[in-house]
Amino acid sequence: MSRRLAAGAATFLVGAAWLLAPSAATAHALGGTFQLPVPLWLYLAGAAFAVAASFVVTAILARERAERAGYPTRPIPEGVAVAARYALRVIGLVWWYGAIVVGFLVGDISPLPAVLLWIGIWVGLPIAAVLIGNPWPSLSPFRTTWAALEWVGRWLGARSLDLGLPYPRTLGRWPAFVLLAAGIWIELILPGREVAFAVALLMTAYTVLTLLGMLAFGQIAWLRNAELLEVELAWFGRVGPIGRRSVSVELCGGCDDGCEVERCIDCPECSTAADDAERAPVLRPWVAGLTDVTRAGWSDAAFIVLALAGVSFDGLQETAFGAWLLDVFLPPVQAVLGTTATTFLLVDTLAFASVFAAFFAAFTLVVTVTHRIGDHGRTSVGSTAGVYAATLLPIAGGYLIAHYLTLVIQGAVWLPELVADPLNSLAPELSWIPMSGVWYLSVGSIVAGHVAAIVLAHRLALRDAADRAVRAGLPMVGLMVGYTILSLWIIAQPIVVEPGGGGAGAGFLP
């Protein structure tokens, strides 16, 4: 990304933030409604204009063909990296297994396991990966547990702990996709998900599943393709400014040519690569790590779109459209199953599945058109989908920050009290956070994420089809403008009152 392009994008973002700055907003941990000084549609139109105009700025400033990888990096001092690595390993073990122990021993009245899992790990770590970098290779309790088991195995004379089964290349990252879908379903739909015993049982089952997968297929092959948190945080970590130094170029078993194995996003045969946790960390420009993505497939595209659809569905549940969507599925299901708990579980599940299907269908259509316009004769549509899906990660990261950051702050404030008294079930209030600041942050993070996605998508189009870059980028621009409007509308619906309106989101409800 050239300095001129970066400067132009930064200038445009500052201007857009000033034009879009409204009065106040909320998120999961804060409540209340607020009077907007202008109609909501004006904010949505301004955000859409900002994103669309960023494409014009990018297309004007970036005309030359982009290189595959070229951004400055600065090594982090080795002493700092080693100390952070060991500290994260200890924290990961205490965090994960401590939540399990508390869930089984303290009792269901304790909210500590739910805070550690659903706020700390499920929501907090993706936000940390976007803002800072991916901590999971060092933080992962599964890597540390496996290292301990390997040490014991060597002490007992075993040459290898895993069975050495080849990971099926056709599986790609579909196991991680299935686990992500299950995790979203549990977090947003399943009753009792916050009960301490249920959380401990869930974390124990996932630990056993992960260790069995590593036992069967080897540590790196399973972690890179099937372990949910490893895959998710690796993707979001490419947005953050702390990355890991690339390993040397070598020929990997699953590729047709030599490649940096770190970049073989959808290549299970790269399991012989150096362990991510052992590679030296470096500082790099924000979102620059996404320019390294050159190999991906449908499983990666589905995984990223699912992550985006999941957080959007969470927000839609608080809107009148979400209620309308449930009403669509309720009568036919109720006619078959009656009014039971299973009925409402199935209705919520169908609503979530429909949101993901709509997101994935829109993305697939856009990618197919982009593929044809760009004349990607040397690549498949699946490869194009996987690589272009990576450009959606800044959007997902921006929406995560807008939707969940105050929840994470609440969890961080609450955690010391819970550690001292695990039975303290009263969540702290965040009245000290100005609501205007929350809204500014929400609008800014969403618009910034979309602008970054526009720049990345155009860079990718330049890399693959410089003479058709503008035309090839238009479908993605349309998709991103549409999602800008949708995401800001979702954020606004529960908390804003339009001028002269009588309720949250008045004037823009189905």
Side-chain angles (χ1 to χ4, degrees):
M1 190 181 301
S2 66
R3 292 184 178 179
R4 186 173 59 173
L5 176 59
T11 302
F12 183 79
L13 271 177
V14 172
W18 180 80
L19 287 172
L20 294 173
S23 58
T26 188
H28 278 195
L30 299 174
T33 58
F34 299 89
Q35 183 80 35
L36 293 178
V38 297
L40 178 60
W41 69 264
L42 194 57
Y43 292 114
L44 304 182
F49 172 79
V51 173
S54 68
F55 175 73
V56 177
V57 174
T58 303
I60 293 174
L61 296 180
R63 295 175 179 273
E64 69 278 2
R65 178 178 291 273
E67 299 296 330
R68 284 187 177 269
Y71 53 83
T73 61
R74 180 179 300 176
I76 294 176
E78 183 178 358
V80 175
V82 171
R85 183 182 305 144
Y86 283 105
L88 287 173
R89 287 177 179 174
V90 173
I91 293 172
L93 287 174
V94 174
W95 191 342
W96 187 268
Y97 294 114
I100 293 175
V101 170
V102 171
F104 283 137
L105 298 182
V106 173
D108 289 343
I109 195 174
S110 174
L112 179 57
V115 170
L116 289 173
L117 175 61
W118 297 122
I119 298 181
I121 294 175
W122 190 256
V123 174
L125 287 183
I127 291 178
V130 169
L131 296 178
I132 302 172
N134 178 18
W136 193 248
S138 298
L139 190 66
S140 170
F142 314 122
R143 287 178 178 267
T144 307
T145 302
W146 186 259
L149 293 175
E150 283 187 323
W151 182 86
V152 172
R154 287 192 298 268
W155 183 73
L156 295 175
R159 297 182 61 183
S160 177
L161 193 61
D162 64 78
L163 300 178
L165 299 177
Y167 183 86
R169 189 181 183 189
T170 54
L171 280 181
R173 287 201 168 93
W174 289 115
F177 169 84
V178 172
L179 290 172
L180 178 60
I184 294 173
W185 184 83
I186 292 171
E187 187 231 351
L188 300 181
I189 296 174
L190 185 66
R193 55 194 171 271
E194 74 285 350
V195 175
F197 181 81
V199 171
L201 193 63
L202 174 65
M203 295 176 74
T204 300
Y206 188 72
T207 301
V208 172
L209 173 65
T210 302
L211 293 177
L212 287 177
M214 295 162 72
L215 177 65
F217 300 105
Q219 176 189 5
I220 298 178
W222 183 259
L223 293 181
R224 289 190 172 185
N225 296 281
E227 204 275 278
L228 167 59
L229 295 170
E230 192 89 21
V231 174
E232 180 185 30
L233 295 175
W235 276 119
F236 280 116
R238 290 180 176 272
V239 180
I242 298 180
R244 285 178 172 81
R245 184 174 295 143
S246 300
V247 296
S248 59
V249 176
E250 61 181 75
L251 187 66
C252 72
C255 303
D256 297 329
D257 54 359
C259 63
E260 290 191 18
V261 293
E262 184 237 352
R263 296 182 187 169
C264 286
I265 303 302
D266 203 17
C267 181
E269 284 78 3
C270 285
S271 59
T272 58
D275 191 345
D276 287 346
E278 303 301 326
R279 292 192 281 122
V282 295
L283 290 173
R284 65 192 178 193
W286 188 65
V287 308
L290 290 171
T291 63
D292 290 337
V293 179
T294 58
R295 295 176 184 269
W298 280 116
S299 63
D300 298 288
F303 185 93
I304 294 171
V305 174
L306 177 61
L308 195 59
V311 68
S312 298
F313 178 72
D314 190 11
L316 282 172
Q317 289 182 310
E318 303 177 45
T319 69
F321 177 81
W324 172 84
L325 188 62
L326 295 178
D327 288 339
V328 170
F329 292 107
L330 181 59
V333 176
Q334 196 173 30
V336 176
L337 299 179
T339 305
T340 65
T342 303
T343 298
F344 293 103
L345 276 177
L346 184 56
V347 167
D348 285 338
T349 302
L350 290 173
F352 168 56
S354 66
V355 170
F356 167 71
F359 275 50
F360 194 66
F363 175 76
T364 301
L365 175 62
V366 166
V367 165
T368 302
V369 174
T370 299
H371 182 83
R372 292 183 178 180
I373 293 176
D375 192 21
H376 298 249
R378 52 190 172 80
T379 61
S380 65
V381 178
S383 178
T384 302
V387 176
Y388 270 94
T391 65
L392 301 178
L393 288 165
I395 297 175
Y399 192 67
L400 278 170
I401 293 170
H403 194 59
Y404 290 124
L405 184 60
T406 55
L407 179 65
V408 173
I409 294 174
Q410 184 183 53
V413 173
W414 196 7
L415 187 58
E417 301 176 10
L418 282 174
V419 171
D421 179 13
L423 302 182
N424 176 18
S425 59
L426 185 62
E429 295 183 1
L430 301 182
S431 56
W432 49 272
I433 297 180
M435 296 304 300
S436 59
V438 174
W439 179 254
Y440 295 150
L441 179 64
S442 298
V443 174
S445 61
I446 287 174
V447 174
H450 282 81
V451 171
I454 289 287
V455 174
L456 286 168
H458 186 69
R459 180 186 176 92
L460 182 60
L462 280 172
R463 190 177 72 190
D464 294 340
D467 57 332
R468 300 180 178 90
V470 174
R471 281 185 293 162
L474 287 176
M476 288 298 294
V477 171
L479 181 68
M480 292 174 183
V481 167
Y483 192 69
T484 301
I485 296 173
L486 176 64
S487 56
L488 282 177
W489 178 78
I490 292 173
I491 290 293
Q493 283 303 290
I495 53 90
V496 302
V497 178
E498 297 199 59
F508 202 74
L509 298 177

